[in-house]
Amino acid sequence: MSARRALPAAGIGIALLVLLAWLPQYYGSTQTALFARALAFAVAALGLNLLTGYNGQVSIGHGAFFGFGAYTTAILMKDHDWAFLATLPVVAVGGLAVGAAVGFPALRVKGLYLALVTLGLAALFPDLVTRFVRGTGGTTLVQIPKVTSPSWATRFAPADDQWRYYLVLAVAVVMLLVAWNLVRGRFGRALIAVREHEAAAATVGIDLARVKVSAFAISAAFAAVAGSLLTLTTGLANADRVGTFQLSIDFLVIIVIGGIGTVVGPVVGAWLFVFLEDWTKQVFPDTPLLSPAIFGIALILFVYVLPDGIVGGARRLLARLRRPAAPTPPTAPGTRPAVRT
Amino acid sequence: MTLLEVRDLRGGYGPVRVLQGLTFTVDDGEIVVLLGANGAGKTTTLRALSGLIGAQGSVRYDGVDLLGRRAEAVARRGIGHVPEGRGTMAELTVEENLRVGAYLRRDRDVASDLERWYTLFPRLKERRDQPAGTLSGGEQQMLAIARALMGRPRLLLLDEPSMGLAPIITQGLFRTLADLNADLGVAMLVVEQNAMLALGIARRAYVLETGRIVTSGPAAELREDERVRKAYLGM
Amino acid sequence: MNVSLFLTQFMNGIGAGVIYASLALALVLIFRTTGLLNFAQGEMALFSTYVTWWLWDGGVPILPAILLSVSLSFVGGAVIERVVIRPVESSSPLIVVIVTLGMFLALNALTQVIFGTDAKQLASVFPQRVFDVGGVRLTAQTIGLVAVLVLECVLLWLIFQRTKAGLALRAVAANPTSSRLVGINVGRMLMLGWALAAALGALAGSLVVPATEALTASSMQAILVFAFAGAALGGFDSPLGAVVGGLVVGVANSLTIEYLEPLRDVELLVPFGIILGVLLVRPAGLFGTQRVERV
Ligand SMILES: Nc1ncnc2c1ncn2[C@@H]1O[C@H](COP(=O)(O)OP(=O)(O)OP(=O)(O)O)[C@@H](O)[C@H]1O
Ligand SMILES: [Mg+2]
């Protein structure tokens, strides 16, 4: 990025950060919990986007990685008295390992078959939890000790939920920067090259196996950290078949709405997702399932109408406003009709 | 009588314009050869005629406009197409391939037609219950032609029917095509690399270069044409 | 080892496997015609099953209710292919996943929006009887389901092998371009494939639910995973494979639960293991052709 564009971008970023930091000062605890949820979902979607958007490997099993993070944090905090932040490195490394374990088979199993295997993973995960986790009263529910605001922070975070929000925000910002750096650098170019044409990528010296397995590992680690963040916000880890599966699809919804293959797309998508979900619940309290119905239809419509999502569409609009003569066609990864061979 | 009249045919694949405005005709019961170097647009021409790809210009066939019609509608008008590379339905048996060829027919003579083409191509009969994908290349070519004939076409588009065939088989194939033409009166538009043989059975010929007709005339004359001899007959 | 316990469990496995086989057949039909894995197959069946329930609840006897729902699903499947799937035909796997999961989400939620979130009871067409054949417990449900599966297979075989439409369907699966050249309306055949799949799913759903417990919006999610395991094991393009695969998965699961104590709670381990194992070792499955790589 040229300096001419980097400066305003950094300016916008800092302004947004200030806004995000100010939110819990103004809004109450219900809203603050929502903000935290949106941030957690954004981190998971960032991870899925690295894998699916940038690397072209389709996963519908990220609900499982998310759940892995949630339970790891919950169990370490509840049974072993760990501090929340201390659990994060364990979650991240564990996520990397679990992701790599799935990434290796993915070297052979591709495309729709990979999607199927990951779907199986999302369906299997709650069973594993049922088998191995002994939660409250024999259920799969694990409640964590309440994370409270430390005394030195009472000036800006007098309420515990504010403090938890700031923890989530800090971690989310770190994860966003990590994702940003990965995508801008050599690794990002390798991810895209592999997505576009594996054979061509291999001929320019890219180690296919390493890139693809790393993408899976990193992506899973993001989802796992996101699971920890949500556990911090809600105070518990839980998994059932419907929920884990639903989560996996939710992440996909988020990146499709926000913009597949863009860094900020998942963040935008996550906020939209969480707030639309909440809004429909407020407005139509009698039909709690209205939002998944809407998101399901939106998922299909976006593919037809706005395949590069809101961020991609906005970029095209901006480009057209700047240079009215040259409209850029939508080019989200994977939306070009691939010729079946 | 003119059966097929093509005027200013233009078209291609997306932004790639391959056909630059072709004009030619095929008379009822006539064999016409389309010659041209690799990539000249011969296959593209046949695809445009049978509705597999969109095109502009005008294509009149038996008094109706063909352009813009879908491939299945074109087939219904009595145009058979033996595609480049044979288009075998590999998982279907030989006989099923042939029956698919009669998909549009409502009459009761399908069985007798089957026998007829089996008599012409005895190898197909021997392998009638075998998956078509297990046939040799030449046998698949026979199958493709027989499948098109099962539809009782009035006009047959043939895209390199000799591809992959031994010279001796190719000669037999062209004799068969000439016989079919004489017996049934099927008009044929033949794209062929073996220009000598094709010109031998054709009445007229067109030469295609980068999407344009550059030469045309009676087949016998083109066989003597200096440029055609050099470029397509290798003399 | 207790032989009659083994046989009882075996037959229970068959009873479950029959359902997996039916749904796997639907998956295979769609894979063969449109070349994609339909992740929404279970939810399509779920919606159809709710339609059956709605009809039955409204006073239609159970058998006509099922037949009506199957017919409606047939039409619905064709409409879905035309409206939702056709525009993304031959797109990348990502697009296929997005669209079918969009259907998954929408159908699952719409089912609950339309029919309510409470669990439903649905009558069974089969009598609630248990036969004792030499110590082996056999339910009328299992026997009935096997009979239905046999009927389905015969019907499909007749359609595919003995009708012109069936021949055309197979031709389209084998070579769409050549099919168009002989005058087959490929789009209509794809609609037919989806219509048949939706009808099969409706039948499977309407028959399985009484066997388990109540009908809820999550009834089909585990079944779908089992069905995918069956289809993978048999080969995604092989109807015969779907039937064999579905039955094997059902039996394998039933026996695992009975004899491998530690795995009892991990319900989906067997189907997941089968999916992963087959796709890693032999992607074409037991009966499929080896060109499955195309997706
Ligand atoms: N599916 C396609 N997409 C894009 N371009 C194509 C496609 N098929 C053919 N072309 C291009 O169109 C041009 C004409 O191709 P065509 O197949 O008609 O040639 P041809 O005369 O049949 O050649 P040959 O003798 O090699 O069969 C070529 O330049 C080719 O690259
Ligand atoms: Mg050609």
Side-chain angles (χ1 to χ4, degrees), chain B residues 136-159:
Chain B
S136 79
E139 290 162 347
Q140 291 191 27
Q141 193 68 62
M142 294 172 200
L143 179 63
I145 293 170
R147 186 178 63 210
L149 289 170
M150 284 299 293
R152 292 201 168 168
R154 233 175 119 189
L155 171 65
L156 193 53
L157 311 177
L158 292 142
D159 200 340

Side-chain angles (χ1 to χ4, degrees), chain C residues 9-10 13 26 48 114 117-118 124 127 130 137 161 172 174 195 224 242 245 288:
Chain C
Q9 282 307 100
F10 186 90
S48 303
I114 295 172
T117 46
D118 51 325
S124 175
V130 180
R137 284 166 48 87
Q161 301 294 331
V172 168
L224 180 71

Side-chain angles (χ1 to χ4, degrees), chain A residues 114-268:
Chain A
L114 177 59
L116 175 57
V117 169
T118 53
L119 174 135
L121 194 67
L124 177 66
F125 178 76
D127 286 3
L128 294 175
V129 171
T130 312
R131 175 74 182 78
F132 295 110
V133 176
R134 289 282 155 262
T136 314
T139 63
T140 53
L141 208 86
V142 179
Q143 250 170 320
I144 58 168
K146 208 167 159 202
V147 176
T148 51
S149 190
S151 52
W152 57 265
T154 40
R155 199 158 269 289
F156 64 95
D160 294 337
D161 63 303
Q162 288 173 328
W163 169 245
R164 289 195 292 263
Y165 171 83
Y166 286 123
L167 279 179
V168 172
L169 179 62
V171 176
V173 168
V174 169
M175 296 308 273
L176 180 71
L177 291 177
V178 169
W180 203 298
N181 268 308
L182 281 174
V183 168
R184 300 281 131 155
R186 265 168 57 93
F187 183 65
R189 284 195 297 278
L191 285 179
I192 294 173
V194 170
R195 173 190 83 198
E196 292 301 317
H197 203 294
E198 286 196 7
T203 57
V204 296
I206 292 173
D207 184 345
L208 287 184
R210 226 180 81 184
V211 169
K212 293 177 83 170
V213 173
S214 313
F216 234 111
I218 294 170
S219 175
F222 269 76
V225 168
S228 304
L229 294 181
L230 193 69
T231 295
L232 172 68
T233 335
T234 59
L236 48 87
N238 192 18
D240 57 53
R241 187 168 296 144
V242 179
T244 309
F245 205 72
Q246 185 81 34
L247 265 180
S248 304
I249 305 183
D250 289 348
F251 300 151
L252 195 68
V253 171
I254 288 171
I255 64 173
V256 170
I257 295 181
I260 292 180
T262 62
V263 178
V264 283
V267 181
V268 174

